[in-house]
Short mmCIF file of all heavy atoms in Angstrom, two decimals:
data_model
loop_
_atom_site.label_atom_id
_atom_site.label_comp_id
_atom_site.label_asym_id
_atom_site.label_seq_id
_atom_site.Cartn_x
_atom_site.Cartn_y
_atom_site.Cartn_z
N LEU A 224 34.45 77.79 22.94
CA LEU A 224 35.84 78.09 22.60
C LEU A 224 36.75 76.90 22.84
O LEU A 224 37.66 76.64 22.04
CB LEU A 224 36.33 79.29 23.43
CG LEU A 224 35.62 80.62 23.24
CD1 LEU A 224 36.24 81.68 24.13
CD2 LEU A 224 35.66 81.06 21.79
N GLU A 225 36.48 76.17 23.90
CA GLU A 225 37.34 75.05 24.24
C GLU A 225 37.14 73.84 23.32
O GLU A 225 37.84 72.84 23.47
CB GLU A 225 37.14 74.64 25.70
CG GLU A 225 35.69 74.45 26.11
CD GLU A 225 35.08 75.71 26.69
OE1 GLU A 225 35.44 76.82 26.25
OE2 GLU A 225 34.21 75.57 27.57
N ASP A 226 36.20 73.92 22.40
CA ASP A 226 36.04 72.85 21.42
C ASP A 226 37.01 73.01 20.26
O ASP A 226 37.08 72.13 19.39
CB ASP A 226 34.61 72.82 20.89
CG ASP A 226 33.60 72.45 21.94
OD1 ASP A 226 33.88 71.54 22.75
OD2 ASP A 226 32.50 73.05 21.96
N THR A 227 37.71 74.11 20.22
CA THR A 227 38.69 74.34 19.15
C THR A 227 39.75 73.26 19.18
O THR A 227 40.26 72.89 20.23
CB THR A 227 39.33 75.72 19.32
OG1 THR A 227 38.35 76.73 19.12
CG2 THR A 227 40.47 75.92 18.33
N GLY A 228 40.08 72.77 18.00
CA GLY A 228 41.12 71.77 17.91
C GLY A 228 41.10 71.08 16.57
O GLY A 228 40.29 71.39 15.70
N VAL A 229 42.00 70.12 16.41
CA VAL A 229 42.03 69.28 15.23
C VAL A 229 41.28 67.99 15.55
O VAL A 229 41.65 67.27 16.48
CB VAL A 229 43.47 68.96 14.79
CG1 VAL A 229 43.45 68.02 13.58
CG2 VAL A 229 44.22 70.25 14.46
N TYR A 230 40.25 67.73 14.81
CA TYR A 230 39.42 66.56 15.03
C TYR A 230 39.86 65.47 14.07
O TYR A 230 39.89 65.68 12.85
CB TYR A 230 37.95 66.90 14.84
CG TYR A 230 37.39 67.69 15.99
CD1 TYR A 230 37.80 69.00 16.23
CD2 TYR A 230 36.47 67.13 16.87
CE1 TYR A 230 37.31 69.72 17.31
CE2 TYR A 230 35.97 67.85 17.95
CZ TYR A 230 36.40 69.13 18.16
OH TYR A 230 35.92 69.84 19.24
N VAL A 231 40.17 64.34 14.64
CA VAL A 231 40.73 63.23 13.87
C VAL A 231 39.80 62.03 13.96
O VAL A 231 39.38 61.64 15.04
CB VAL A 231 42.13 62.85 14.40
CG1 VAL A 231 42.73 61.72 13.58
CG2 VAL A 231 43.05 64.06 14.39
N CYS A 232 39.52 61.48 12.82
CA CYS A 232 38.67 60.29 12.75
C CYS A 232 39.50 59.05 13.06
O CYS A 232 40.67 58.94 12.64
CB CYS A 232 38.07 60.18 11.35
SG CYS A 232 36.97 58.76 11.09
N HIS A 233 38.91 58.14 13.79
CA HIS A 233 39.59 56.90 14.17
C HIS A 233 38.70 55.70 13.89
O HIS A 233 37.47 55.77 14.02
CB HIS A 233 39.92 56.94 15.67
CG HIS A 233 40.36 55.62 16.23
ND1 HIS A 233 39.51 54.78 16.91
CD2 HIS A 233 41.57 55.00 16.19
CE1 HIS A 233 40.17 53.70 17.29
NE2 HIS A 233 41.41 53.81 16.86
N ALA A 234 39.30 54.62 13.48
CA ALA A 234 38.58 53.36 13.29
C ALA A 234 39.37 52.23 13.92
O ALA A 234 40.60 52.17 13.80
CB ALA A 234 38.36 53.09 11.81
N GLU A 235 38.66 51.37 14.60
CA GLU A 235 39.27 50.18 15.20
C GLU A 235 38.81 48.98 14.39
O GLU A 235 37.61 48.78 14.19
CB GLU A 235 38.84 50.04 16.65
CG GLU A 235 39.34 48.76 17.31
CD GLU A 235 38.71 48.55 18.68
OE1 GLU A 235 38.42 49.55 19.37
OE2 GLU A 235 38.50 47.39 19.07
N ARG A 236 39.73 48.19 13.96
CA ARG A 236 39.41 47.04 13.12
C ARG A 236 39.94 45.76 13.75
O ARG A 236 41.04 45.74 14.29
CB ARG A 236 40.01 47.23 11.74
CG ARG A 236 39.75 46.13 10.75
CD ARG A 236 40.29 46.53 9.39
NE ARG A 236 40.21 45.45 8.43
CZ ARG A 236 41.22 45.03 7.68
NH1 ARG A 236 42.40 45.62 7.80
NH2 ARG A 236 41.06 44.05 6.82
N ASP A 237 39.15 44.75 13.69
CA ASP A 237 39.57 43.44 14.17
C ASP A 237 40.06 42.63 12.98
O ASP A 237 39.32 42.44 12.01
CB ASP A 237 38.40 42.72 14.84
CG ASP A 237 38.80 41.31 15.30
OD1 ASP A 237 39.52 41.21 16.31
OD2 ASP A 237 38.42 40.33 14.65
N TRP A 238 41.28 42.21 13.06
CA TRP A 238 41.89 41.43 11.97
C TRP A 238 42.44 40.15 12.55
O TRP A 238 43.52 40.11 13.09
CB TRP A 238 42.98 42.26 11.29
CG TRP A 238 43.59 41.60 10.10
CD1 TRP A 238 44.86 41.16 9.96
CD2 TRP A 238 42.92 41.29 8.87
NE1 TRP A 238 45.03 40.60 8.74
CE2 TRP A 238 43.88 40.66 8.03
CE3 TRP A 238 41.64 41.49 8.38
CZ2 TRP A 238 43.56 40.23 6.73
CZ3 TRP A 238 41.34 41.06 7.11
CH2 TRP A 238 42.29 40.45 6.31
N TYR A 239 41.64 39.09 12.41
CA TYR A 239 42.01 37.77 12.90
C TYR A 239 42.46 37.83 14.36
O TYR A 239 43.49 37.24 14.73
CB TYR A 239 43.10 37.17 12.02
CG TYR A 239 42.62 36.84 10.63
CD1 TYR A 239 42.88 37.70 9.57
CD2 TYR A 239 41.88 35.69 10.39
CE1 TYR A 239 42.41 37.40 8.29
CE2 TYR A 239 41.40 35.39 9.13
CZ TYR A 239 41.68 36.26 8.07
OH TYR A 239 41.22 35.96 6.82
N GLY A 240 41.70 38.56 15.15
CA GLY A 240 41.98 38.63 16.57
C GLY A 240 42.92 39.73 16.99
O GLY A 240 43.11 39.96 18.19
N SER A 241 43.52 40.40 16.04
CA SER A 241 44.40 41.51 16.36
C SER A 241 43.66 42.82 16.15
O SER A 241 42.86 42.95 15.24
CB SER A 241 45.65 41.49 15.46
OG SER A 241 46.43 40.34 15.71
N ARG A 242 43.97 43.76 17.01
CA ARG A 242 43.34 45.08 16.89
C ARG A 242 44.23 45.97 16.04
O ARG A 242 45.43 46.14 16.32
CB ARG A 242 43.13 45.71 18.26
CG ARG A 242 42.71 47.17 18.18
CD ARG A 242 42.43 47.78 19.53
NE ARG A 242 42.32 49.22 19.42
CZ ARG A 242 41.78 49.99 20.37
NH1 ARG A 242 41.31 49.43 21.48
NH2 ARG A 242 41.72 51.28 20.21
N LEU A 243 43.63 46.56 15.04
CA LEU A 243 44.33 47.52 14.20
C LEU A 243 43.65 48.88 14.33
O LEU A 243 42.42 48.95 14.31
CB LEU A 243 44.33 47.07 12.75
CG LEU A 243 44.98 45.71 12.46
CD1 LEU A 243 44.82 45.34 10.99
CD2 LEU A 243 46.45 45.71 12.85
N ASP A 244 44.44 49.92 14.46
CA ASP A 244 43.90 51.28 14.57
C ASP A 244 44.27 52.09 13.34
O ASP A 244 45.41 52.05 12.88
CB ASP A 244 44.45 51.97 15.83
CG ASP A 244 43.94 51.33 17.10
OD1 ASP A 244 42.80 51.64 17.48
OD2 ASP A 244 44.66 50.51 17.70
N TYR A 245 43.30 52.82 12.86
CA TYR A 245 43.50 53.67 11.68
C TYR A 245 43.10 55.10 12.04
O TYR A 245 42.15 55.32 12.81
CB TYR A 245 42.68 53.16 10.50
CG TYR A 245 43.05 51.77 10.09
CD1 TYR A 245 42.37 50.66 10.61
CD2 TYR A 245 44.08 51.53 9.19
CE1 TYR A 245 42.71 49.37 10.24
CE2 TYR A 245 44.43 50.24 8.81
CZ TYR A 245 43.74 49.17 9.34
OH TYR A 245 44.10 47.89 8.98
N TRP A 246 43.79 56.04 11.41
CA TRP A 246 43.58 57.45 11.71
C TRP A 246 43.46 58.27 10.44
O TRP A 246 44.16 58.01 9.45
CB TRP A 246 44.75 58.00 12.54
CG TRP A 246 44.96 57.27 13.82
CD1 TRP A 246 45.76 56.18 14.03
CD2 TRP A 246 44.35 57.56 15.08
NE1 TRP A 246 45.68 55.77 15.33
CE2 TRP A 246 44.84 56.60 16.01
CE3 TRP A 246 43.45 58.53 15.52
CZ2 TRP A 246 44.44 56.60 17.34
CZ3 TRP A 246 43.07 58.52 16.85
CH2 TRP A 246 43.56 57.57 17.74
N GLY A 247 42.58 59.25 10.50
CA GLY A 247 42.53 60.21 9.43
C GLY A 247 43.59 61.27 9.62
O GLY A 247 44.36 61.24 10.59
N ARG A 248 43.61 62.23 8.74
CA ARG A 248 44.60 63.30 8.82
C ARG A 248 44.13 64.45 9.69
O ARG A 248 44.93 65.30 10.08
CB ARG A 248 44.96 63.79 7.42
CG ARG A 248 45.53 62.69 6.55
CD ARG A 248 45.95 63.21 5.20
NE ARG A 248 47.11 64.11 5.28
CZ ARG A 248 47.74 64.60 4.22
NH1 ARG A 248 47.32 64.30 3.01
NH2 ARG A 248 48.77 65.39 4.36
N GLY A 249 42.85 64.49 9.96
CA GLY A 249 42.33 65.52 10.83
C GLY A 249 41.73 66.69 10.08
O GLY A 249 42.08 66.98 8.94
N THR A 250 40.81 67.34 10.76
CA THR A 250 40.19 68.54 10.21
C THR A 250 40.11 69.59 11.34
O THR A 250 39.77 69.25 12.47
CB THR A 250 38.80 68.24 9.62
OG1 THR A 250 38.27 69.40 9.00
CG2 THR A 250 37.82 67.73 10.66
N GLN A 251 40.42 70.81 11.00
CA GLN A 251 40.50 71.87 12.00
C GLN A 251 39.12 72.43 12.30
O GLN A 251 38.34 72.73 11.39
CB GLN A 251 41.41 73.01 11.52
CG GLN A 251 41.49 74.19 12.45
CD GLN A 251 42.26 73.90 13.72
OE1 GLN A 251 43.32 73.27 13.69
NE2 GLN A 251 41.75 74.36 14.86
N VAL A 252 38.84 72.57 13.59
CA VAL A 252 37.63 73.25 14.06
C VAL A 252 38.08 74.42 14.91
O VAL A 252 38.82 74.23 15.89
CB VAL A 252 36.73 72.29 14.87
CG1 VAL A 252 35.60 73.07 15.53
CG2 VAL A 252 36.18 71.19 13.98
N THR A 253 37.66 75.59 14.54
CA THR A 253 38.02 76.80 15.28
C THR A 253 36.76 77.51 15.73
O THR A 253 35.92 77.87 14.90
CB THR A 253 38.88 77.74 14.43
OG1 THR A 253 40.05 77.06 13.98
CG2 THR A 253 39.29 78.97 15.22
#
Side-chain angles (χ1 to χ4, degrees):
L224 298 180
E225 50 267 34
D226 294 319
T227 294
V229 177
Y230 285 68
V231 181
C232 181
H233 168 262
E235 175 189 328
R236 180 174 173 231
D237 178 75
W238 184 246
Y239 292 100
S241 295
R242 170 177 168 164
L243 300 176
D244 293 280
Y245 299 93
W246 302 90
R248 300 183 68 174
T250 184
Q251 176 71 43
V252 171
T253 302

